[in-house]
PDB file of all heavy atoms in Angstrom:
ATOM      1  N   THR X   1      14.378 -22.947  10.959  1.00  0.00           N
ATOM      2  CA  THR X   1      14.762 -23.020  12.372  1.00  0.00           C
ATOM      3  C   THR X   1      15.887 -22.065  12.749  1.00  0.00           C
ATOM      4  O   THR X   1      16.135 -21.846  13.931  1.00  0.00           O
ATOM      5  CB  THR X   1      15.202 -24.448  12.721  1.00  0.00           C
ATOM      6  OG1 THR X   1      16.283 -24.828  11.852  1.00  0.00           O
ATOM      7  CG2 THR X   1      14.049 -25.427  12.552  1.00  0.00           C
ATOM      8  N   THR X   2      16.573 -21.499  11.769  1.00  0.00           N
ATOM      9  CA  THR X   2      17.706 -20.628  12.077  1.00  0.00           C
ATOM     10  C   THR X   2      17.329 -19.147  12.158  1.00  0.00           C
ATOM     11  O   THR X   2      18.183 -18.310  12.441  1.00  0.00           O
ATOM     12  CB  THR X   2      18.810 -20.782  11.016  1.00  0.00           C
ATOM     13  OG1 THR X   2      18.282 -20.426   9.722  1.00  0.00           O
ATOM     14  CG2 THR X   2      19.313 -22.222  10.970  1.00  0.00           C
ATOM     15  N   ARG X   3      16.090 -18.812  11.904  1.00  0.00           N
ATOM     16  CA  ARG X   3      15.682 -17.409  11.929  1.00  0.00           C
ATOM     17  C   ARG X   3      15.611 -16.879  13.371  1.00  0.00           C
ATOM     18  O   ARG X   3      15.048 -17.527  14.252  1.00  0.00           O
ATOM     19  CB  ARG X   3      14.305 -17.226  11.293  1.00  0.00           C
ATOM     20  CG  ARG X   3      14.247 -17.553   9.818  1.00  0.00           C
ATOM     21  CD  ARG X   3      14.769 -16.442   8.959  1.00  0.00           C
ATOM     22  NE  ARG X   3      14.648 -16.792   7.540  1.00  0.00           N
ATOM     23  CZ  ARG X   3      14.912 -15.966   6.532  1.00  0.00           C
ATOM     24  NH1 ARG X   3      15.324 -14.727   6.799  1.00  0.00           N
ATOM     25  NH2 ARG X   3      14.779 -16.350   5.288  1.00  0.00           N
ATOM     26  N   PRO X   4      16.159 -15.687  13.611  1.00  0.00           N
ATOM     27  CA  PRO X   4      15.964 -15.054  14.918  1.00  0.00           C
ATOM     28  C   PRO X   4      14.577 -14.426  14.981  1.00  0.00           C
ATOM     29  O   PRO X   4      13.890 -14.309  13.952  1.00  0.00           O
ATOM     30  CB  PRO X   4      17.053 -13.983  14.947  1.00  0.00           C
ATOM     31  CG  PRO X   4      17.240 -13.609  13.503  1.00  0.00           C
ATOM     32  CD  PRO X   4      17.018 -14.894  12.731  1.00  0.00           C
ATOM     33  N   ILE X   5      14.173 -14.017  16.176  1.00  0.00           N
ATOM     34  CA  ILE X   5      12.875 -13.371  16.332  1.00  0.00           C
ATOM     35  C   ILE X   5      13.034 -12.098  17.157  1.00  0.00           C
ATOM     36  O   ILE X   5      13.773 -12.072  18.147  1.00  0.00           O
ATOM     37  CB  ILE X   5      11.850 -14.336  16.975  1.00  0.00           C
ATOM     38  CG1 ILE X   5      10.442 -13.727  16.967  1.00  0.00           C
ATOM     39  CG2 ILE X   5      12.266 -14.747  18.383  1.00  0.00           C
ATOM     40  CD1 ILE X   5       9.339 -14.735  17.287  1.00  0.00           C
ATOM     41  N   LEU X   6      12.372 -11.053  16.712  1.00  0.00           N
ATOM     42  CA  LEU X   6      12.416  -9.748  17.380  1.00  0.00           C
ATOM     43  C   LEU X   6      11.020  -9.402  17.867  1.00  0.00           C
ATOM     44  O   LEU X   6      10.091  -9.227  17.071  1.00  0.00           O
ATOM     45  CB  LEU X   6      12.914  -8.673  16.408  1.00  0.00           C
ATOM     46  CG  LEU X   6      12.874  -7.214  16.894  1.00  0.00           C
ATOM     47  CD1 LEU X   6      13.794  -7.009  18.093  1.00  0.00           C
ATOM     48  CD2 LEU X   6      13.247  -6.264  15.764  1.00  0.00           C
ATOM     49  N   TYR X   7      10.866  -9.315  19.193  1.00  0.00           N
ATOM     50  CA  TYR X   7       9.611  -8.859  19.782  1.00  0.00           C
ATOM     51  C   TYR X   7       9.739  -7.363  20.039  1.00  0.00           C
ATOM     52  O   TYR X   7      10.770  -6.899  20.559  1.00  0.00           O
ATOM     53  CB  TYR X   7       9.343  -9.572  21.107  1.00  0.00           C
ATOM     54  CG  TYR X   7       9.040 -11.048  20.983  1.00  0.00           C
ATOM     55  CD1 TYR X   7      10.062 -11.992  21.063  1.00  0.00           C
ATOM     56  CD2 TYR X   7       7.735 -11.505  20.812  1.00  0.00           C
ATOM     57  CE1 TYR X   7       9.799 -13.355  20.970  1.00  0.00           C
ATOM     58  CE2 TYR X   7       7.460 -12.867  20.719  1.00  0.00           C
ATOM     59  CZ  TYR X   7       8.496 -13.785  20.794  1.00  0.00           C
ATOM     60  OH  TYR X   7       8.213 -15.127  20.698  1.00  0.00           O
ATOM     61  N   MET X   8       8.699  -6.602  19.738  1.00  0.00           N
ATOM     62  CA  MET X   8       8.788  -5.158  19.922  1.00  0.00           C
ATOM     63  C   MET X   8       7.488  -4.565  20.433  1.00  0.00           C
ATOM     64  O   MET X   8       6.392  -5.048  20.132  1.00  0.00           O
ATOM     65  CB  MET X   8       9.208  -4.477  18.621  1.00  0.00           C
ATOM     66  CG  MET X   8       8.272  -4.690  17.451  1.00  0.00           C
ATOM     67  SD  MET X   8       8.925  -3.963  15.920  1.00  0.00           S
ATOM     68  CE  MET X   8       9.038  -2.238  16.399  1.00  0.00           C
ATOM     69  N   LEU X   9       7.636  -3.515  21.233  1.00  0.00           N
ATOM     70  CA  LEU X   9       6.489  -2.753  21.735  1.00  0.00           C
ATOM     71  C   LEU X   9       6.034  -1.752  20.675  1.00  0.00           C
ATOM     72  O   LEU X   9       6.688  -1.575  19.653  1.00  0.00           O
ATOM     73  CB  LEU X   9       6.855  -2.028  23.026  1.00  0.00           C
ATOM     74  CG  LEU X   9       6.970  -2.826  24.335  1.00  0.00           C
ATOM     75  CD1 LEU X   9       5.659  -3.536  24.647  1.00  0.00           C
ATOM     76  CD2 LEU X   9       8.121  -3.804  24.313  1.00  0.00           C
ATOM     77  N   ASP X  10       4.911  -1.079  20.932  1.00  0.00           N
ATOM     78  CA  ASP X  10       4.353  -0.091  19.999  1.00  0.00           C
ATOM     79  C   ASP X  10       4.154  -0.694  18.612  1.00  0.00           C
ATOM     80  O   ASP X  10       4.589  -0.149  17.592  1.00  0.00           O
ATOM     81  CB  ASP X  10       5.241   1.159  19.920  1.00  0.00           C
ATOM     82  CG  ASP X  10       5.048   2.084  21.109  1.00  0.00           C
ATOM     83  OD1 ASP X  10       3.883   2.335  21.493  1.00  0.00           O
ATOM     84  OD2 ASP X  10       6.056   2.557  21.675  1.00  0.00           O
ATOM     85  N   GLY X  11       3.474  -1.831  18.595  1.00  0.00           N
ATOM     86  CA  GLY X  11       3.243  -2.511  17.329  1.00  0.00           C
ATOM     87  C   GLY X  11       2.515  -1.664  16.299  1.00  0.00           C
ATOM     88  O   GLY X  11       2.815  -1.754  15.104  1.00  0.00           O
ATOM     89  N   ASN X  12       1.566  -0.847  16.728  1.00  0.00           N
ATOM     90  CA  ASN X  12       0.828  -0.017  15.772  1.00  0.00           C
ATOM     91  C   ASN X  12       1.741   0.973  15.056  1.00  0.00           C
ATOM     92  O   ASN X  12       1.703   1.107  13.826  1.00  0.00           O
ATOM     93  CB  ASN X  12      -0.279   0.762  16.485  1.00  0.00           C
ATOM     94  CG  ASN X  12      -1.367  -0.131  17.042  1.00  0.00           C
ATOM     95  OD1 ASN X  12      -1.086  -1.141  17.667  1.00  0.00           O
ATOM     96  ND2 ASN X  12      -2.620   0.250  16.841  1.00  0.00           N
ATOM     97  N   GLY X  13       2.577   1.673  15.826  1.00  0.00           N
ATOM     98  CA  GLY X  13       3.369   2.753  15.251  1.00  0.00           C
ATOM     99  C   GLY X  13       4.744   2.366  14.758  1.00  0.00           C
ATOM    100  O   GLY X  13       5.252   2.953  13.802  1.00  0.00           O
ATOM    101  N   LEU X  14       5.377   1.363  15.387  1.00  0.00           N
ATOM    102  CA  LEU X  14       6.768   1.042  15.060  1.00  0.00           C
ATOM    103  C   LEU X  14       6.948  -0.249  14.264  1.00  0.00           C
ATOM    104  O   LEU X  14       7.944  -0.391  13.552  1.00  0.00           O
ATOM    105  CB  LEU X  14       7.608   0.960  16.341  1.00  0.00           C
ATOM    106  CG  LEU X  14       7.693   2.243  17.177  1.00  0.00           C
ATOM    107  CD1 LEU X  14       8.721   2.080  18.290  1.00  0.00           C
ATOM    108  CD2 LEU X  14       8.026   3.462  16.324  1.00  0.00           C
ATOM    109  N   PHE X  15       6.010  -1.175  14.360  1.00  0.00           N
ATOM    110  CA  PHE X  15       6.128  -2.424  13.605  1.00  0.00           C
ATOM    111  C   PHE X  15       6.281  -2.173  12.102  1.00  0.00           C
ATOM    112  O   PHE X  15       7.192  -2.746  11.480  1.00  0.00           O
ATOM    113  CB  PHE X  15       4.927  -3.323  13.899  1.00  0.00           C
ATOM    114  CG  PHE X  15       4.838  -4.555  13.043  1.00  0.00           C
ATOM    115  CD1 PHE X  15       5.580  -5.691  13.353  1.00  0.00           C
ATOM    116  CD2 PHE X  15       4.007  -4.590  11.933  1.00  0.00           C
ATOM    117  CE1 PHE X  15       5.495  -6.834  12.554  1.00  0.00           C
ATOM    118  CE2 PHE X  15       3.910  -5.715  11.139  1.00  0.00           C
ATOM    119  CZ  PHE X  15       4.655  -6.850  11.443  1.00  0.00           C
ATOM    120  N   PRO X  16       5.456  -1.325  11.480  1.00  0.00           N
ATOM    121  CA  PRO X  16       5.647  -1.095  10.042  1.00  0.00           C
ATOM    122  C   PRO X  16       7.016  -0.497   9.715  1.00  0.00           C
ATOM    123  O   PRO X  16       7.621  -0.846   8.700  1.00  0.00           O
ATOM    124  CB  PRO X  16       4.517  -0.098   9.688  1.00  0.00           C
ATOM    125  CG  PRO X  16       3.509  -0.265  10.768  1.00  0.00           C
ATOM    126  CD  PRO X  16       4.292  -0.570  12.001  1.00  0.00           C
ATOM    127  N   LEU X  17       7.506   0.388  10.577  1.00  0.00           N
ATOM    128  CA  LEU X  17       8.820   0.993  10.352  1.00  0.00           C
ATOM    129  C   LEU X  17       9.914  -0.062  10.437  1.00  0.00           C
ATOM    130  O   LEU X  17      10.878  -0.035   9.662  1.00  0.00           O
ATOM    131  CB  LEU X  17       9.082   2.099  11.366  1.00  0.00           C
ATOM    132  CG  LEU X  17       8.074   3.247  11.430  1.00  0.00           C
ATOM    133  CD1 LEU X  17       8.523   4.288  12.451  1.00  0.00           C
ATOM    134  CD2 LEU X  17       7.895   3.883  10.055  1.00  0.00           C
ATOM    135  N   ALA X  18       9.782  -0.994  11.388  1.00  0.00           N
ATOM    136  CA  ALA X  18      10.782  -2.044  11.551  1.00  0.00           C
ATOM    137  C   ALA X  18      10.790  -2.993  10.358  1.00  0.00           C
ATOM    138  O   ALA X  18      11.855  -3.388   9.866  1.00  0.00           O
ATOM    139  CB  ALA X  18      10.527  -2.811  12.845  1.00  0.00           C
ATOM    140  N   VAL X  19       9.623  -3.358   9.884  1.00  0.00           N
ATOM    141  CA  VAL X  19       9.534  -4.260   8.730  1.00  0.00           C
ATOM    142  C   VAL X  19      10.108  -3.579   7.489  1.00  0.00           C
ATOM    143  O   VAL X  19      10.884  -4.180   6.734  1.00  0.00           O
ATOM    144  CB  VAL X  19       8.077  -4.706   8.495  1.00  0.00           C
ATOM    145  CG1 VAL X  19       7.968  -5.540   7.220  1.00  0.00           C
ATOM    146  CG2 VAL X  19       7.571  -5.506   9.686  1.00  0.00           C
ATOM    147  N   ASN X  20       9.735  -2.310   7.288  1.00  0.00           N
ATOM    148  CA  ASN X  20      10.274  -1.570   6.142  1.00  0.00           C
ATOM    149  C   ASN X  20      11.790  -1.465   6.215  1.00  0.00           C
ATOM    150  O   ASN X  20      12.501  -1.671   5.223  1.00  0.00           O
ATOM    151  CB  ASN X  20       9.668  -0.168   6.082  1.00  0.00           C
ATOM    152  CG  ASN X  20       8.196  -0.166   5.722  1.00  0.00           C
ATOM    153  OD1 ASN X  20       7.667  -1.164   5.233  1.00  0.00           O
ATOM    154  ND2 ASN X  20       7.521   0.930   5.977  1.00  0.00           N
ATOM    155  N   ARG X  21      12.301  -1.130   7.392  1.00  0.00           N
ATOM    156  CA  ARG X  21      13.748  -0.977   7.550  1.00  0.00           C
ATOM    157  C   ARG X  21      14.465  -2.312   7.348  1.00  0.00           C
ATOM    158  O   ARG X  21      15.567  -2.367   6.818  1.00  0.00           O
ATOM    159  CB  ARG X  21      14.064  -0.388   8.921  1.00  0.00           C
ATOM    160  CG  ARG X  21      15.550  -0.150   9.205  1.00  0.00           C
ATOM    161  CD  ARG X  21      16.194   0.738   8.146  1.00  0.00           C
ATOM    162  NE  ARG X  21      15.664   2.058   8.089  1.00  0.00           N
ATOM    163  CZ  ARG X  21      16.171   3.107   8.731  1.00  0.00           C
ATOM    164  NH1 ARG X  21      17.221   2.953   9.507  1.00  0.00           N
ATOM    165  NH2 ARG X  21      15.640   4.299   8.585  1.00  0.00           N
ATOM    166  N   ALA X  22      13.830  -3.392   7.783  1.00  0.00           N
ATOM    167  CA  ALA X  22      14.441  -4.715   7.638  1.00  0.00           C
ATOM    168  C   ALA X  22      14.679  -5.052   6.166  1.00  0.00           C
ATOM    169  O   ALA X  22      15.775  -5.481   5.789  1.00  0.00           O
ATOM    170  CB  ALA X  22      13.564  -5.775   8.298  1.00  0.00           C
ATOM    171  N   ILE X  23      13.673  -4.859   5.307  1.00  0.00           N
ATOM    172  CA  ILE X  23      13.848  -5.233   3.900  1.00  0.00           C
ATOM    173  C   ILE X  23      14.766  -4.251   3.179  1.00  0.00           C
ATOM    174  O   ILE X  23      15.337  -4.585   2.142  1.00  0.00           O
ATOM    175  CB  ILE X  23      12.497  -5.352   3.167  1.00  0.00           C
ATOM    176  CG1 ILE X  23      11.833  -3.980   3.002  1.00  0.00           C
ATOM    177  CG2 ILE X  23      11.581  -6.339   3.872  1.00  0.00           C
ATOM    178  CD1 ILE X  23      10.712  -3.972   1.970  1.00  0.00           C
ATOM    179  N   GLN X  24      14.905  -3.042   3.711  1.00  0.00           N
ATOM    180  CA  GLN X  24      15.771  -2.049   3.101  1.00  0.00           C
ATOM    181  C   GLN X  24      17.247  -2.253   3.448  1.00  0.00           C
ATOM    182  O   GLN X  24      18.126  -1.808   2.701  1.00  0.00           O
ATOM    183  CB  GLN X  24      15.341  -0.639   3.528  1.00  0.00           C
ATOM    184  CG  GLN X  24      13.990  -0.206   3.016  1.00  0.00           C
ATOM    185  CD  GLN X  24      13.443   1.005   3.768  1.00  0.00           C
ATOM    186  OE1 GLN X  24      14.090   1.530   4.668  1.00  0.00           O
ATOM    187  NE2 GLN X  24      12.254   1.438   3.406  1.00  0.00           N
ATOM    188  N   THR X  25      17.521  -2.916   4.564  1.00  0.00           N
ATOM    189  CA  THR X  25      18.889  -2.940   5.071  1.00  0.00           C
ATOM    190  C   THR X  25      19.488  -4.316   5.280  1.00  0.00           C
ATOM    191  O   THR X  25      20.701  -4.431   5.466  1.00  0.00           O
ATOM    192  CB  THR X  25      18.979  -2.188   6.418  1.00  0.00           C
ATOM    193  OG1 THR X  25      18.119  -2.828   7.371  1.00  0.00           O
ATOM    194  CG2 THR X  25      18.562  -0.732   6.260  1.00  0.00           C
ATOM    195  N   LEU X  26      18.663  -5.357   5.275  1.00  0.00           N
ATOM    196  CA  LEU X  26      19.173  -6.698   5.563  1.00  0.00           C
ATOM    197  C   LEU X  26      19.031  -7.611   4.350  1.00  0.00           C
ATOM    198  O   LEU X  26      18.062  -7.504   3.590  1.00  0.00           O
ATOM    199  CB  LEU X  26      18.419  -7.315   6.743  1.00  0.00           C
ATOM    200  CG  LEU X  26      18.514  -6.587   8.089  1.00  0.00           C
ATOM    201  CD1 LEU X  26      17.596  -7.268   9.096  1.00  0.00           C
ATOM    202  CD2 LEU X  26      19.946  -6.555   8.596  1.00  0.00           C
ATOM    203  N   PRO X  27      19.984  -8.523   4.161  1.00  0.00           N
ATOM    204  CA  PRO X  27      19.839  -9.526   3.109  1.00  0.00           C
ATOM    205  C   PRO X  27      18.608 -10.389   3.367  1.00  0.00           C
ATOM    206  O   PRO X  27      18.236 -10.623   4.519  1.00  0.00           O
ATOM    207  CB  PRO X  27      21.128 -10.357   3.223  1.00  0.00           C
ATOM    208  CG  PRO X  27      22.083  -9.489   3.967  1.00  0.00           C
ATOM    209  CD  PRO X  27      21.251  -8.664   4.899  1.00  0.00           C
ATOM    210  N   ALA X  28      17.992 -10.871   2.305  1.00  0.00           N
ATOM    211  CA  ALA X  28      16.752 -11.635   2.444  1.00  0.00           C
ATOM    212  C   ALA X  28      16.922 -12.850   3.335  1.00  0.00           C
ATOM    213  O   ALA X  28      16.008 -13.218   4.087  1.00  0.00           O
ATOM    214  CB  ALA X  28      16.248 -12.055   1.065  1.00  0.00           C
ATOM    215  N   ASP X  29      18.105 -13.490   3.279  1.00  0.00           N
ATOM    216  CA  ASP X  29      18.291 -14.692   4.082  1.00  0.00           C
ATOM    217  C   ASP X  29      18.638 -14.389   5.535  1.00  0.00           C
ATOM    218  O   ASP X  29      18.814 -15.317   6.338  1.00  0.00           O
ATOM    219  CB  ASP X  29      19.369 -15.589   3.466  1.00  0.00           C
ATOM    220  CG  ASP X  29      20.733 -14.906   3.409  1.00  0.00           C
ATOM    221  OD1 ASP X  29      20.793 -13.671   3.600  1.00  0.00           O
ATOM    222  OD2 ASP X  29      21.731 -15.606   3.167  1.00  0.00           O
ATOM    223  N   LYS X  30      18.736 -13.115   5.903  1.00  0.00           N
ATOM    224  CA  LYS X  30      19.045 -12.718   7.275  1.00  0.00           C
ATOM    225  C   LYS X  30      17.858 -12.066   7.983  1.00  0.00           C
ATOM    226  O   LYS X  30      17.953 -11.690   9.157  1.00  0.00           O
ATOM    227  CB  LYS X  30      20.221 -11.744   7.295  1.00  0.00           C
ATOM    228  CG  LYS X  30      21.519 -12.304   6.726  1.00  0.00           C
ATOM    229  CD  LYS X  30      22.064 -13.431   7.577  1.00  0.00           C
ATOM    230  CE  LYS X  30      23.421 -13.898   7.060  1.00  0.00           C
ATOM    231  NZ  LYS X  30      23.956 -15.031   7.857  1.00  0.00           N
ATOM    232  N   LEU X  31      16.750 -11.921   7.279  1.00  0.00           N
ATOM    233  CA  LEU X  31      15.598 -11.229   7.860  1.00  0.00           C
ATOM    234  C   LEU X  31      15.075 -11.982   9.085  1.00  0.00           C
ATOM    235  O   LEU X  31      14.880 -13.193   9.042  1.00  0.00           O
ATOM    236  CB  LEU X  31      14.481 -11.098   6.832  1.00  0.00           C
ATOM    237  CG  LEU X  31      14.752 -10.180   5.639  1.00  0.00           C
ATOM    238  CD1 LEU X  31      13.631 -10.308   4.614  1.00  0.00           C
ATOM    239  CD2 LEU X  31      14.894  -8.731   6.093  1.00  0.00           C
ATOM    240  N   PRO X  32      14.804 -11.261  10.181  1.00  0.00           N
ATOM    241  CA  PRO X  32      14.239 -11.912  11.363  1.00  0.00           C
ATOM    242  C   PRO X  32      12.721 -11.987  11.284  1.00  0.00           C
ATOM    243  O   PRO X  32      12.085 -11.259  10.515  1.00  0.00           O
ATOM    244  CB  PRO X  32      14.659 -10.969  12.492  1.00  0.00           C
ATOM    245  CG  PRO X  32      14.596  -9.611  11.842  1.00  0.00           C
ATOM    246  CD  PRO X  32      15.077  -9.829  10.422  1.00  0.00           C
ATOM    247  N   ILE X  33      12.141 -12.870  12.058  1.00  0.00           N
ATOM    248  CA  ILE X  33      10.708 -12.792  12.313  1.00  0.00           C
ATOM    249  C   ILE X  33      10.501 -11.591  13.229  1.00  0.00           C
ATOM    250  O   ILE X  33      11.254 -11.381  14.167  1.00  0.00           O
ATOM    251  CB  ILE X  33      10.208 -14.079  12.987  1.00  0.00           C
ATOM    252  CG1 ILE X  33      10.318 -15.261  12.027  1.00  0.00           C
ATOM    253  CG2 ILE X  33       8.762 -13.919  13.480  1.00  0.00           C
ATOM    254  CD1 ILE X  33       9.974 -16.605  12.662  1.00  0.00           C
ATOM    255  N   ILE X  34       9.496 -10.786  12.944  1.00  0.00           N
ATOM    256  CA  ILE X  34       9.228  -9.594  13.757  1.00  0.00           C
ATOM    257  C   ILE X  34       7.812  -9.690  14.316  1.00  0.00           C
ATOM    258  O   ILE X  34       6.843  -9.883  13.565  1.00  0.00           O
ATOM    259  CB  ILE X  34       9.380  -8.303  12.930  1.00  0.00           C
ATOM    260  CG1 ILE X  34      10.788  -8.223  12.325  1.00  0.00           C
ATOM    261  CG2 ILE X  34       9.103  -7.076  13.802  1.00  0.00           C
ATOM    262  CD1 ILE X  34      10.993  -7.017  11.414  1.00  0.00           C
ATOM    263  N   ILE X  35       7.702  -9.570  15.622  1.00  0.00           N
ATOM    264  CA  ILE X  35       6.411  -9.606  16.308  1.00  0.00           C
ATOM    265  C   ILE X  35       6.183  -8.251  16.973  1.00  0.00           C
ATOM    266  O   ILE X  35       6.976  -7.819  17.812  1.00  0.00           O
ATOM    267  CB  ILE X  35       6.367 -10.714  17.383  1.00  0.00           C
ATOM    268  CG1 ILE X  35       6.707 -12.083  16.784  1.00  0.00           C
ATOM    269  CG2 ILE X  35       5.004 -10.733  18.068  1.00  0.00           C
ATOM    270  CD1 ILE X  35       5.705 -12.580  15.775  1.00  0.00           C
ATOM    271  N   GLY X  36       5.116  -7.573  16.606  1.00  0.00           N
ATOM    272  CA  GLY X  36       4.785  -6.272  17.180  1.00  0.00           C
ATOM    273  C   GLY X  36       3.589  -6.379  18.111  1.00  0.00           C
ATOM    274  O   GLY X  36       2.546  -6.923  17.736  1.00  0.00           O
ATOM    275  N   ILE X  37       3.734  -5.868  19.318  1.00  0.00           N
ATOM    276  CA  ILE X  37       2.653  -5.898  20.299  1.00  0.00           C
ATOM    277  C   ILE X  37       1.911  -4.573  20.226  1.00  0.00           C
ATOM    278  O   ILE X  37       2.441  -3.525  20.584  1.00  0.00           O
ATOM    279  CB  ILE X  37       3.209  -6.123  21.719  1.00  0.00           C
ATOM    280  CG1 ILE X  37       4.048  -7.406  21.761  1.00  0.00           C
ATOM    281  CG2 ILE X  37       2.075  -6.183  22.741  1.00  0.00           C
ATOM    282  CD1 ILE X  37       4.860  -7.558  23.029  1.00  0.00           C
ATOM    283  N   GLY X  38       0.690  -4.603  19.718  1.00  0.00           N
ATOM    284  CA  GLY X  38      -0.082  -3.378  19.540  1.00  0.00           C
ATOM    285  C   GLY X  38      -1.497  -3.511  20.070  1.00  0.00           C
ATOM    286  O   GLY X  38      -1.789  -4.361  20.930  1.00  0.00           O
TER     287      GLY X  38
END
């Protein structure tokens, strides 16, 4: 219940970049849910 959520446009092109960047830069317990609209 404590996870934040990030909605983003350009799901096809930017969603994979956001997910990759998230695991590269954020602690595992701080990762947000990411929703890409594509």
